[in-house]
């Protein structure tokens, strides 16, 4: 089997003119400038774009002529359709839809590298059921009839988008810009990519389009749009830009990055990480030859997986102007690559050298010509061999039914050539590099992407360094492999992996709050509220510490709370216990003094039984304060508040009884008074017993309905678990305090009303002052108790018990002890009964 390739390169429009303006003669279309043909048993054709032409838009006001070739830039649908129809015409004549015989009929057509070329060619080739193999791009074929015969040397576009996503996630680039082609292909790319990236936490500073330049007259308008795009790119805070384009996109990109050299753009250029799609490649116009290429230094791009083909470099290096005389493309390429002209060329030779034809391709900088096996070269190579293997498979399937000679065999194949696409879709083979080549059910090649890092050098050369690859057969979160230590970053980043975020990550201890009117990647950082933590960066919300734990100072982790209660081992507990024992001892001492002097007039005059009762209750009050110190237990919680209430009721009711007896005693001295019968032990005892029993009843109800119990308070204090006694019923607790307040108020009122009694009965003055101290302490107790937390509440109650008890002890008994111990001469009956003059 002999295979030859027909390559159609950079075509020009068909002859057209506006018949309403003037009459045009009928003629053949303008010739295709660059084409190459070799005859053979079977032909594989190619329609490829290798040169970019700048043309003026068609006005249809004059007939096409070869003068059009003087203004070159674009590749448009007309040229593609022209090339497609010429393939279907008899060799040497342009008669669409007519062929004399089957000798020159192509069995397959390779198209590329632009998606437009592939789509336009598919519209024609599908009518003739000719298999088409595209390379260098990933056009979306929506027409089912066309897709049957369409094969791509490019993997599924979704696979590339998934690769871009995982590169961004791998390097934690969450704030990016996107630039795409300003056509349907670019729109589809953005529609597919943006939602996927957004769902994975990546957001966009901007999404722009590359200014389209289809005709030379649009150049200035395109440059104006490019200037605006330049301002957006360089003014962006995103350090990473995803660039979707095709093989010619690099030309346009280099143009508008050169704008500051010719336009007054105040924005300074900043380093960016370009992530380029596999459809792009390094291309340039002759005028761009000396332009700086450092902007792609450190860029990352995808590329169709390729390997170096044995002998390919040598094949290119041996190419020269004499090797293919019928290939007009080489001649044009040679002049522009080596900046020379041939002696018979119409190109101005004033400033140029004469081409000798002996120039060496390997001497050209890589930015002009690469002699390595690029992804596009590798795709074309595999595409040609895929057709060859499909033809071989098709031939083998026909051998049994074919008995004709050599030429007849091929004629029979031509009669059923349209079936080739079935064999092409199922082809599978290993190429000369040992790589497996096959297509999936959609006609897309089964292969992976290489991840390439671009490294540029001052001599306008560059290297494509493979730093990773994709693998679509493993879970998506592991689909890329990257050797990040081998990556060279742009010079301005000092070989440090760049960050690309809208703002710095919120540190641990903070949470994110979205900025109004900004993408979700942009947020403020707020410190966690009290009691909450965030132990990772960029937390959406702070979390509450588990019960029994509290945040550290930085609010980055939870620490176990210590159990806290007022213990005998801490200074406060020791101090209060010492004071309580000291006052208990003093009270016992006072009681001993009164017992020792029980038969003296001053002791008898102060009602010994009430005095003993008051002193004993005060001593118990001081000792009862010790119940509030130490680790609370069930019996302690049951006892301490009820004991406090009952003991204090006895003390206050004793004071009340003493006050009432003093008043009654004064009233009994008046002539004819009947108050004598109320003076005596029964009156005082009944007051003390009735008040004490009433308080005991309240406490009994409290213990029966909702008794106090030991409890852990997890929430009152931030860093402590307070172990204390839960009062069970707060209402009953305040009922006990209210009853004590009621007794104290009555005692104070009675004593205050009796303060002006004769000096012999000045007991009322001491009681008044003592009750004033008592009431002041407990009135202050309530707000202080409610405003404190933890063991401080217990300390406040102990202090109130000790202070109020000490007030009663000091105010009532210190004057009497003074007389008993220091002024015994005043302890006489005569002194007590004398009246005030």
């Amino acid at each position: 089997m002999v295979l030859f390739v027909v390559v159609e390169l950079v075509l020009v429009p068909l002859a057209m003119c506006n018949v309403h303006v003037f009459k045009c003669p009928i003629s053949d279309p303008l010739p295709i400038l660059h084409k190459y043909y070799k005859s053979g048993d079977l032909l594989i054709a190619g329609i490829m774009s290798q040169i970019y032409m700048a043309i003026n838009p068609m006005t249809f006001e004059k007939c096409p002529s070869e003068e059009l070739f003087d203004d070159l830039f674009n590749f448009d649908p007309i040229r593609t359709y022209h090339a497609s129809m010429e393939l279907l015409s008899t060799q040497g004549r342009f008669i669409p839809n007519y062929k004399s015989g089957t000798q020159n009929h192509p069995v397959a057509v390779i198209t590329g590298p632009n998606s437009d070329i592939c789509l336009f060619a598919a519209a024609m080739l599908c009518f003739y059921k000719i298999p088409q193999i595209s390379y260098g791009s990933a056009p979306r074929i929506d027409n089912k009839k066309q897709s049957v015969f369409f094969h791509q040397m490019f993997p599924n576009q979704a696979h590339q988008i998934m690769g871009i996503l995982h590169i961004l996630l791998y390097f934690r680039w969450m704030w990016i810009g996107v630039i795409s082609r300003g056509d349907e292909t670019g729109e589809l790319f953005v529609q597919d990519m943006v939602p996927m990236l957004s769902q994975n936490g990546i957001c966009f500073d901007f999404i722009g389009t590359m200014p389209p330049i289809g005709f030379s007259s649009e150049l200035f308008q395109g440059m104006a749009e490019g200037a605006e795009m330049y301002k957006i790119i360089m003014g962006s805070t995103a350090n990473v830009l995803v660039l979707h384009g095709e093989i010619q996109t690099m030309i346009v990109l280099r143009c508008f990055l050169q704008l500051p050299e010719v336009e007054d753009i105040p924005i300074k250029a900043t380093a960016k990480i370009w992530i380029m799609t596999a459809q792009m490649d390094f291309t340039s116009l002759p005028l761009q030859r000396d332009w700086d290429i450092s902007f792609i230094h450190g860029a990352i791009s995808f590329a169709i997986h390729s390997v170096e083909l044995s002998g390919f470099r040598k094949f290119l290096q041996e190419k020269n102007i004499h090797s293919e005389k019928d290939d007009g493309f080489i001649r044009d390429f040679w002049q522009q690559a080596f900046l020379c002209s041939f002696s018979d060329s119409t190109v101005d030779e004033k400033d140029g050298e004469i081409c000798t034809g002996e120039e060496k391709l390997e001497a050209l900088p890589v930015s002009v010509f690469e002699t390595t096996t690029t992804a596009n070269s590798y795709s074309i190579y595999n595409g040609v061999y895929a057709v060859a293997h499909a033809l071989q498979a098709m031939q083998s399937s026909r051998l049994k039914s074919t008995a004709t000679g050599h030429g007849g065999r091929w004629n029979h194949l031509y009669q059923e050539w349209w079936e080739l696409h079935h064999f092409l879709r199922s082809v599978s083979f290993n190429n000369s590099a040992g790589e497996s080549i096959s297509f999936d059910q959609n006609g897309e090649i089964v292969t992976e992407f290489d991840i390439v890092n671009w490294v540029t050098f001052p001599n306008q050369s560059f290297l494509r360094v493979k730093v990773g690859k994709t693998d679509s057969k493993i879970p998506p979160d592991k689909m890329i492999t990257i050797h990040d230590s081998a990556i060279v970053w742009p010079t301005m980043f000092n070989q440090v992996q760049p960050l690309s975020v809208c703002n710095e990550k919120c540190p641990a201890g903070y949470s994110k709050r979205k900025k109004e009117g900004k993408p979700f990647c942009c947020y403020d950082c707020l410190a966690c509220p009290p009691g909450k933590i965030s132990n990772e960066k960029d937390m959406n919300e702070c979390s509450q510490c588990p019960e029994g734990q509290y945040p550290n100072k930085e609010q980055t982790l939870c620490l176990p709370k210590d159990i806290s209660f007022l213990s005998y081992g801490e200074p406060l507990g020791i101090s209060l216990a010492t004071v309580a024992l000291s006052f208990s001892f003093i009270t016992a001492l006072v009681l001993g003094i009164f017992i020792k002097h029980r038969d003296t007039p001053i002791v008898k005059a102060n009602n010994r039984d009430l005095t003993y009762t008051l002193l004993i209750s005060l001593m118990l009050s001081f000792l009862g304060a010790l119940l509030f110190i130490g680790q609370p237990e069930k019996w302690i919680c049951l006892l301490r508040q009820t004991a406090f209430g009952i003991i204090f009721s006895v003390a206050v009711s004793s004071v009340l009884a003493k006050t009432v007896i003093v008043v009654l005693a004064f009233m009994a001295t008046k002539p004819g008074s009947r108050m004598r019968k109320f003076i005596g032990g029964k009156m005082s005892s009944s007051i003390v017993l009735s008040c004490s029993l009433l308080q005991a009843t309240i406490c009994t109800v409290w213990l029966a309905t909702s008794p106090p119990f030991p409890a852990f308070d997890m929430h009152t204090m931030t860093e402590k678990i307070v172990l204390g006694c839960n009062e069970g019923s707060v209402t009953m607790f305040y009922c006990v305090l209210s009853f004590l307040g009621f007794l104290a108020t009555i005692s104070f009122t009675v004593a205050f009303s009796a303060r002006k009694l004769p000096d012999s009965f000045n007991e009322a003055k001491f009681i008044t002052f003592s009750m004033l101290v008592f009431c002041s302490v407990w009135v202050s107790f309530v707000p202080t108790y409610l405003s404190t937390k933890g063991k401080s509440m217990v300390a406040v109650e102990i202090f109130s018990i000790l202070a109020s008890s000490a007030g009663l002890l000091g105010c009532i008994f210190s004057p009497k002890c003074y007389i008993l111990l220091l002024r015994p001469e005043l302890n006489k009956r005569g002194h007590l009964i004398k009246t005030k003059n």
Side-chain angles (χ1 to χ4, degrees), residues 298-355:
I300 296 174
S301 70
F302 286 81
I304 305 298
H305 173 67
S306 63
V307 295
E308 188 65 28
L309 294 173
S310 176
F312 183 75
R313 183 187 295 268
K314 183 180 179 181
F315 166 76
L316 290 179
Q317 291 174 347
E318 291 177 352
K319 277 282 184 182
N320 58 58
I321 196 65
H322 308 296
S323 60
E324 299 292 345
K325 294 182 179 180
D326 295 332
D327 188 353
F329 170 71
I330 292 183
R331 183 181 176 91
D332 285 345
F333 164 77
W334 207 268
Q335 292 181 111
Q336 296 200 14
F338 291 103
L339 301 177
C340 62
S341 59
F342 293 99
S343 56
D344 58 345
S345 173
T346 59
V347 178
D348 188 1
E349 302 176 12
K350 291 181 180 178
D351 300 324
E353 298 180 358
I354 300 297
C355 298

Side-chain angles (χ1 to χ4, degrees), residues 70 167 206 248 344 742 830:
D70 295 335
I167 280 184
F206 68 90
Q248 74 275 17
D344 58 345
F742 172 73

Side-chain angles (χ1 to χ4, degrees), residues 363-429:
L364 293 172
V366 178
S367 58
V368 176
F369 186 74
E370 295 180 76
T371 57
T372 57
T373 305
T374 64
N376 284 343
S377 299
Y378 191 69
S379 296
I380 295 172
Y381 175 84
N382 289 329
V384 171
Y385 272 89
V387 174
H389 281 272
L391 286 170
Q392 187 175 28
M394 184 175 177
Q395 178 191 4
S396 298
S397 68
R398 299 291 188 267
L399 285 178
K400 293 183 180 179
S401 59
T402 303
T404 61
H406 179 269
R409 182 176 76 242
W410 294 122
N411 287 336
H412 179 70
L413 284 176
Y414 271 124
Q415 292 174 7
E416 298 180 352
W417 53 265
W418 57 269
E419 294 184 0
L420 179 62
H421 73 277
H422 293 293
F423 297 92
L424 188 58
R425 188 65 58 95
S426 59
V427 73
S428 179
F429 64 95

Side-chain angles (χ1 to χ4, degrees), residues 67-85:
E67 294 177 358
L68 288 174
F69 299 135
D70 295 335
D71 189 18
L72 305 177
F73 189 80
N74 196 17
F75 193 100
D76 63 15
I78 297 175
R79 296 181 176 85
T80 306
Y81 294 141
H82 181 190
S84 301
M85 288 188 288

